Amino acid sequence: MQRSEGSRDGDLQSGTSLVELLIAMGIFVIVGYFASTFYNRVTQSDAELSAKSSAQAELSRLNHFLDKDLKFREINQLVSLCTNPICLSFTIKRLAPGGASYSVRYGSSCKTFPASMSKYSNGPNGINFSKGSLENLPSPTTNNRTQCMRALDCVAGTYPVLNITVLNPPPSVTLPQYPTETPNLNGGRFAFNIVGAAICASQSTSSVVNGPTGPTNILQDHIMLEAAIISSANSLRIERKETVFSSNNLAKIQMLPN
């Protein structure tokens, strides 16, 4: 009888341990699930912040070249960069060190996604730069509203590229190291970088009172630089930088490059 009671006690202890083990395993599964979800969200947010920082840095770099080209335009070659409602390419005639001159062409085009980005070029995670898709992007701020990429209207499977081409470079003159293609998705890590870029220009007119002679019309070129990144929600987010520059040179001042 004593042996039988001891056997029942062992079975009871064994059953209690099994229930506790199952409960512990369930707790570990739940904690692991939430920990994994939290980690993924943090990783995605970190990727978006890195991509946003990269986009802003790239826009600042491109704007630096653009600003220099606009400042060093020849005063006798001043023409409006764009006479259409919007221009996806324009050319700036500017001076080079030593008195020479050359032209810089800024333009936007569509390029086919490389094989390394097939995950984003088609399927459920596909990125679409067409006008219709871009118009449906959430726009909590003005910076998230694209103008250049909408006008470019790249078809599915392609992405917007900003190109800079130097025309008629003077011999024996050191020119700025213009980036020829932005972005270049053919190599490197693209998850933390921009996945599209474009430039466009438009023109506006404003009147300025000029003493007794009355108002003077001043033409202004508006140049937009745009870069696209992948957000944490796996959708496009657009970063923008705009430059406004007068097409007139009323003071007749010529900036000279070093």
Side-chain angles (χ1 to χ4, degrees):
M1 295 295 292
Q2 291 179 353
R3 183 181 303 175
S4 177
E5 290 177 357
S7 177
R8 286 197 299 270
D9 291 342
D11 292 340
L12 180 62
Q13 292 175 359
S14 177
T16 303
S17 299
L18 179 60
V19 171
E20 290 175 347
L21 178 61
L22 292 175
I23 293 174
M25 290 178 62
I27 292 174
F28 281 131
V29 169
I30 294 173
V31 171
Y33 170 78
F34 284 106
S36 176
T37 302
F38 177 76
Y39 174 79
N40 289 335
R41 289 180 179 177
V42 171
T43 301
Q44 290 174 349
S45 297
D46 179 67
E48 181 175 350
L49 289 174
S50 299
K52 182 177 180 179
S53 177
S54 175
Q56 292 174 342
E58 187 63 29
L59 289 179
S60 296
R61 185 170 79 108
L62 292 168
N63 193 68
H64 169 76
F65 290 106
L66 181 63
D67 182 64
K68 293 292 185 182
D69 291 337
L70 291 171
K71 285 182 178 178
F72 298 143
R73 287 194 295 177
E74 293 189 72
I75 60 173
N76 60 346
Q77 295 286 339
L78 286 182
V79 294
S80 177
L81 299 180
C82 179
T83 57
N84 299 324
I86 188 168
C87 298
L88 291 169
S89 64
F90 54 86
T91 302
I92 300 175
K93 181 73 175 290
R94 60 155 290 177
L95 293 178
S101 64
Y102 64 97
S103 297
V104 185
R105 184 183 182 277
Y106 290 82
S108 301
S109 60
C110 299
K111 189 173 181 178
T112 303
F113 275 113
S116 60
M117 286 199 67
S118 59
K119 173 183 176 181
Y120 294 103
S121 62
N122 51 54
N125 296 321
I127 299 174
N128 197 328
F129 283 98
S130 67
K131 180 180 179 180
S133 297
L134 293 173
E135 288 177 342
N136 293 327
L137 286 180
S139 304
T141 63
T142 303
N143 287 337
N144 204 34
R145 295 189 179 98
T146 171
Q147 184 172 347
C148 305
M149 294 182 188
R150 285 175 57 197
L152 192 58
D153 194 18
C154 293
V155 299
T158 64
Y159 65 100
V161 176
L162 189 157
N163 301 106
I164 303 178
T165 306
V166 177
L167 307 174
N168 303 317
S172 304
V173 175
T174 302
L175 302 181
Q177 296 298 310
Y178 294 98
T180 57
E181 180 181 308
T182 306
N184 187 346
L185 303 182
N186 291 318
R189 299 174 61 190
F190 53 82
F192 297 93
N193 294 296
I194 61 177
V195 294
I199 191 170
C200 59
S202 61
Q203 185 188 76
S204 65
T205 304
S206 60
S207 296
V208 177
V209 177
N210 189 22
T213 61
T216 299
N217 290 330
I218 296 180
L219 297 177
Q220 292 180 319
D221 290 312
H222 296 256
I223 304 173
M224 281 72 68
L225 287 165
E226 298 177 350
I229 63 173
I230 302 175
S231 72
S232 57
N234 202 40
S235 61
L236 288 175
R237 178 177 176 85
I238 309 299
E239 296 292 325
R240 293 185 63 203
K241 184 179 287 291
E242 183 173 353
T243 298
V244 181
F245 203 89
S246 175
S247 301
N248 307 93
N249 190 343
L250 301 179
K252 304 301 181 183
I253 296 175
Q254 175 69 71
M255 300 290 291
L256 299 176
N258 296 327

